[in-house]
């Protein structure tokens, strides 16, 4: 497996680590998303412990408004975080 493929698999595994096994495995509810961003992105996203911030992120990601974030919706967050990290590298 290439380095990029390994990182892609890592993103999938992180998503699955936080999604509850009692529901559909490929969705996150708000509590799970909060745990994921608080533990996995504490240096990248600001105010991750603030419930209003989590609510806003969740609302932006949950485009079908079903109260869950699918993997497809989650990768929007990954894309935004990756773009910000890329922009920050060029600022240094």
């Amino acid at each position: 497996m290439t380095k990029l493929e390994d990182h892609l698999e890592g993103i999938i595994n992180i998503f699955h680590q936080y999604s509850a096994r009692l529901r559909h495995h490929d969705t996150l509810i708000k509590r799970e998303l909060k745990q994921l961003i608080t533990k996995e992105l504490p240096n990248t996203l600001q105010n991750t412990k603030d419930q209003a911030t989590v609510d806003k992120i969740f609302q932006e990601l949950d485009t079908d408004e079903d109260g869950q974030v699918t993997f497809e919706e989650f990768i929007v967050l990954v894309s935004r975080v990756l773009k910000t990290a890329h922009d920050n590298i060029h600022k240094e």
Side-chain angles (χ1 to χ4, degrees):
M1 190 178 308
T2 70
K3 190 172 187 177
L4 180 57
E5 291 168 331
D6 189 45
H7 290 296
L8 294 173
E9 186 176 316
I11 291 169
I12 294 166
N13 290 338
I14 291 293
F15 181 85
H16 286 160
Q17 178 181 334
Y18 288 91
S19 63
R21 307 213 186 279
L22 299 175
R23 290 177 291 99
H24 188 269
H25 191 65
D26 281 335
T27 62
L28 297 169
I29 58 174
K30 193 180 295 184
R31 174 181 44 81
E32 295 163 342
L33 181 68
K34 181 178 181 177
Q35 289 174 342
L36 187 154
I37 62 177
T38 300
K39 292 181 181 175
E40 303 297 335
L41 298 169
N43 303 308
T44 306
L45 295 178
Q46 296 179 351
N47 302 322
T48 58
K49 294 184 180 180
D50 176 49
Q51 189 62 45
T53 299
V54 173
D55 290 346
K56 183 176 186 226
I57 292 169
F58 189 87
Q59 183 178 6
E60 290 173 359
L61 295 177
D62 184 19
T63 56
D64 62 2
E65 299 178 348
D66 67 349
Q68 300 178 48
V69 172
T70 63
F71 184 75
E72 185 175 343
E73 292 168 330
F74 172 71
I75 60 174
V76 171
L77 176 64
V78 173
S79 175
R80 289 177 186 167
V81 168
L82 189 57
K83 182 186 179 318
T84 300
H86 179 257
D87 292 346
N88 289 340
I89 287 171
H90 286 289
K91 290 178 183 177
E92 295 175 355

